[in-house]
Amino acid sequence: MKIAMIGQKEVPSRMGGVEVAVGALAVRMAARGYEVTLYNRHRCSFRKRKKTGKCRKYKGVLIREVWVPDITGISAAAGSLFATLLALRGKYDCIHYHAEGPAAMCFLPRLFGIRTVVTIHGLDWKRSKWGGFASWYLKQGEKAAAAWADEIIVLSRSAQKYFQDTYHRKTVLIPNGIQRPERKGTEEIGARWGLEKDRYILFLGRIVPEKGIENLIKAFRQVDTDKKLVIAGGSSDTDTFFEKLKEEAMGDPRILFTGFVQGEALEELYSNSYLYCLPSNLEGMPISLLEAMSYGNCCLCSDIPECAEVMEDLGFLFRRGDRESLRARLQMLCERPDLVEESRKKVTDSIFEKYDWDKITEQTLALYQRAINRKRKKRRGDNGRRKIESSDGK
């Protein structure tokens, strides 16, 4: 089977949940002997553009870089178009689009008889960082997926219900995954930021409005604790919003912005936090929450279905967007380390069995094969009808 994936920015990287998921799937598929090509988006000016289609190998996966203009709201659309045009020449059995924006191009491979799969990582058109045109385009991508994709993967039951109610379209629920991590000490985070084990509350993710970070900062400033609040993550076309958050945190030395983190520093942040907090108003399926749980963290999340479905009874919830509800939960957990420890003990091997990347890879490959087999069956049916028609003509 020859597979292409389109929609990610840069793999390998931790730029977002899409990139983490695509990297995890592609590497495992390549290890099983499948030919996998990733079309990464490379944003830069026209003058500095790299040659479109430049190739390199990463853990058995072929990566092609596709130049896109460095314009917010345009780069993703241009990247999926250019990548699709390149992929049409690649003789792939299946092209897998990730996210709603890139899915707008899924009709093109279908016109050429190539099977398409789309993963909906979240209802991106709802994200507040996008303007009118970008939101409209993302919604068109969602509609294109519903109309043209051979198979649609969703990450949560709420997304599955949404597609059934809105488009009367069946989807397949395949969640994101995790792998068992190795817990780390505090060498790097201690040296860089003066952080100690169990002395900070952690938020980790992209710095975008729908993550509820502004609400978290305002709630934390009212919490009576000497623990720090660590906000780890980088801007995602949201520099103005990032600066607004820093202004909101001014005057409270307990609040620390680390910027984008990965590697050893990321592992240490997960390993040593007192509490992980995800106050999102909108999610697809939060990989950061899964990762925090894999490290045995006590987690506090907004009660949106996508978070509640993942966490079940393993952590704590507060009412979405309710600052007082969040403040009260933070205060309670800061005062009750026994509750935090009890929550940590609930995270058992069952979570690794439920969200196992190897099993998820097998499910995804089976879905590809189902789409390809449907195409072959259709061809056999068409050939049979031609023979019958020819025989009748004689």
Side-chain angles (χ1 to χ4, degrees), residues 174-194:
I174 303 179
N176 285 324
I178 48 175
Q179 56 189 18
R180 196 180 298 274
E182 178 186 349
R183 295 192 185 185
K184 304 286 186 175
T186 60
E187 287 78 8
E188 185 166 344
I189 63 173
R192 290 174 66 178
W193 302 300

Side-chain angles (χ1 to χ4, degrees), residues 39-55:
Y39 288 86
N40 283 350
R41 300 200 304 267
H42 181 79
R43 284 177 63 166
C44 61
S45 66
F46 181 79
R47 288 185 177 182
K48 294 182 179 180
R49 72 190 187 282
K50 292 185 177 181
K51 185 179 179 181
T52 300
K54 185 177 180 180
C55 300

Side-chain angles (χ1 to χ4, degrees), residues 97-131:
Y97 289 89
H98 290 267
E100 290 187 333
M105 296 299 152
C106 71
F107 72 96
L108 283 172
R110 282 294 304 273
L111 295 177
F112 288 84
I114 302 170
R115 299 295 93 177
T116 59
V117 173
V118 172
T119 293
I120 302 295
H121 289 264
L123 303 183
D124 294 334
W125 56 272
K126 289 186 175 183
R127 301 188 190 280
S128 55
K129 73 174 183 176
W130 300 121

Side-chain angles (χ1 to χ4, degrees), residues 323-341:
R323 190 183 310 161
E324 175 55 28
S325 176
L326 174 54
R327 185 208 65 78
R329 285 292 195 183
L330 286 170
Q331 188 67 63
M332 178 191 73
L333 292 169
C334 286
E335 294 175 353
R336 295 286 306 276
D338 57 312
L339 293 180
V340 172
E341 188 60 32

Side-chain angles (χ1 to χ4, degrees), residues 148-210:
W148 290 92
D150 292 287
E151 298 285 353
I152 297 176
I153 297 171
V154 294
L155 307 181
S156 66
R157 286 192 292 268
S158 60
Q160 197 167 38
K161 183 178 186 302
Y162 170 81
F163 270 83
Q164 183 62 47
D165 293 346
T166 307
Y167 302 106
H168 307 290
R169 176 65 199 260
K170 289 185 178 179
T171 57
V172 179
L173 175 58
I174 303 179
N176 285 324
I178 48 175
Q179 56 189 18
R180 196 180 298 274
E182 178 186 349
R183 295 192 185 185
K184 304 286 186 175
T186 60
E187 287 78 8
E188 185 166 344
I189 63 173
R192 290 174 66 178
W193 302 300
L195 295 175
E196 301 174 13
K197 183 172 178 57
D198 289 338
R199 301 300 301 165
Y200 61 92
I201 295 165
L202 175 66
F203 164 86
L204 190 143
R206 290 175 298 121
I207 307 300
V208 291
E210 63 268 14

Side-chain angles (χ1 to χ4, degrees), residues 375-393:
K375 173 184 175 182
R376 290 170 180 162
K377 189 180 294 184
K378 184 176 183 299
R379 282 181 176 172
R380 287 197 295 268
D382 290 344
N383 290 337
R385 282 192 293 274
R386 290 193 199 99
K387 288 178 182 179
I388 291 170
E389 288 166 2
S390 177
S391 176
D392 289 346

Side-chain angles (χ1 to χ4, degrees), residues 218-229:
K218 290 178 178 179
F220 179 78
R221 294 193 66 159
Q222 298 175 1
V223 175
D224 181 16
T225 181
D226 59 356
K227 297 186 188 300
K228 294 182 178 181
L229 172 62

